[in-house]
Amino acid sequence: MGIAADIAGDWHAALAALAWQVEAGADEVIGDGPLNRYELAAEGRKPSVPAPAAPALPEPVAAADPVQVAQAAAARARTLEELRSAILAYDHCDLKKGARNTVFADGNPAARVLILGEAPGADEDREGRPFVGRAGQLLDRMFAAIGLSRTSTDPQSALYITNVMPWRPPANRDPEPAEIAMMRPFVERHIALVDPAVIVVMGNTPLDALTGKRGILRARGNWMQALGRPLLPMTHPAYLLRNPSAKREAWADLLSLQERLRG
């Protein structure tokens, strides 16, 4: 029967047999069949087959560029109402989150003169219309002096008023360059739809948005071109409230506008 049969099922006997083999110098297990060590060595020298590459992970989807989104949304607007809806649906500007209202525009869309301001203040944010606070009241008096009004139904004497930013910045701070950049496509489309004869920019923000320049105190009163139209830079009425002596220069700018409209 052999030793394997004698120790089968007897754990103590199997352990004793193993100990006897170790004492006898057995250092490896011998199988029932012979092994060709030369063949085993040759197989060890064979190049290993590379494991299949793991499937490539999909590239992360880049966040939408706010300016490109604005450009696409503005280009689709065919009317002022569609443009208003596009701005209301635009969620890439954080200023919108803290604003009460989206301030779109005021006045007569058929007007020859479009006034472009900077951004709503507290009064404008509350009412949803541009230039309705103290600065807006001064603006109305200034342009009334040369026969122009936002309430006029006659395009020859009417004004159309809007801002670069439709939402109030916190604490009335200046809009940041990135905020101006993402709203610029809407401003350009707004102007194209209204198609004014003259643009008046009031303050650094609209000057920057349409010309890429700043320095309103140097630029004011000097006629420029923007979007294929005459552009007149003027100081913001809020600046005039803080610096009454500058009203003389503002009056000169208004007379220059009146002369351009008459010509």
Side-chain angles (χ1 to χ4, degrees):
M1 295 290 291
I3 190 173
D6 294 339
I7 66 175
D10 188 339
W11 181 85
H12 294 286
L15 182 61
L18 178 60
W20 178 81
Q21 293 181 53
V22 171
E23 290 177 1
D27 58 0
E28 62 180 289
V29 178
I30 305 300
D32 293 334
L35 292 177
N36 188 329
R37 299 292 180 179
Y38 294 103
E39 291 180 357
L40 292 176
E43 290 180 1
R45 292 192 297 270
K46 291 181 180 178
S48 59
V49 178
L57 296 175
E59 292 290 333
V61 178
D65 180 81
V67 176
Q68 293 181 354
V69 174
Q71 289 171 340
R76 288 193 295 268
R78 294 291 179 265
T79 65
L80 289 174
E81 192 56 40
E82 288 181 2
L83 183 64
R84 180 197 294 267
S85 298
I87 293 174
L88 287 170
Y90 186 76
D91 293 327
H92 293 267
C93 183
D94 288 342
L95 295 182
K96 182 179 181 181
K97 299 175 183 178
R100 292 184 180 182
N101 284 298
T102 297
V103 179
F104 183 67
D106 194 20
N108 187 343
R112 292 189 298 165
V113 178
L114 182 144
I115 296 176
L116 184 63
E118 297 183 336
D123 294 319
E124 290 77 14
D125 182 41
R126 183 168 47 252
E127 293 192 26
R129 295 190 301 125
F131 285 97
V132 295
R134 289 184 62 217
Q137 295 166 13
L138 176 57
L139 179 144
D140 288 339
R141 294 196 299 270
M142 288 167 57
F143 284 88
I146 60 170
L148 300 178
S149 169
R150 71 172 87 191
T151 61
S152 175
T153 58
D154 181 3
Q156 299 298 312
S157 59
L159 293 174
Y160 186 79
I161 307 172
T162 187
N163 285 318
V164 173
M165 307 305 302
W167 303 293
R168 182 193 180 195
N172 290 344
R173 66 162 172 79
D174 290 339
E176 297 175 354
E179 295 166 344
I180 297 173
M182 68 179 70
M183 298 312 300
R184 185 180 291 116
F186 293 112
V187 173
E188 293 178 353
R189 186 62 182 153
H190 204 155
I191 293 172
L193 290 171
V194 175
D195 192 23
V198 173
I199 302 169
V200 177
V201 295
M202 307 200 98
N204 269 317
T205 296
L207 180 65
D208 183 8
L210 294 190
T211 70
K213 301 176 182 178
R214 297 185 71 85
I216 190 64
L217 296 182
R218 294 189 303 273
R220 56 134 299 270
N222 297 304
W223 284 93
M224 304 178 181
Q225 286 285 320
L227 306 178
R229 295 172 172 81
L231 179 146
L232 177 64
M234 291 184 63
T235 50
H236 197 281
Y239 174 82
L240 300 179
L241 289 173
R242 298 190 302 268
N243 300 274
S245 62
K247 291 181 179 180
R248 177 179 298 180
E249 295 174 342
W251 175 241
D253 298 342
L254 289 169
L255 293 178
S256 178
L257 173 62
Q258 183 181 54
E259 183 181 357
R260 175 63 66 105
L261 294 174
R262 287 175 175 174

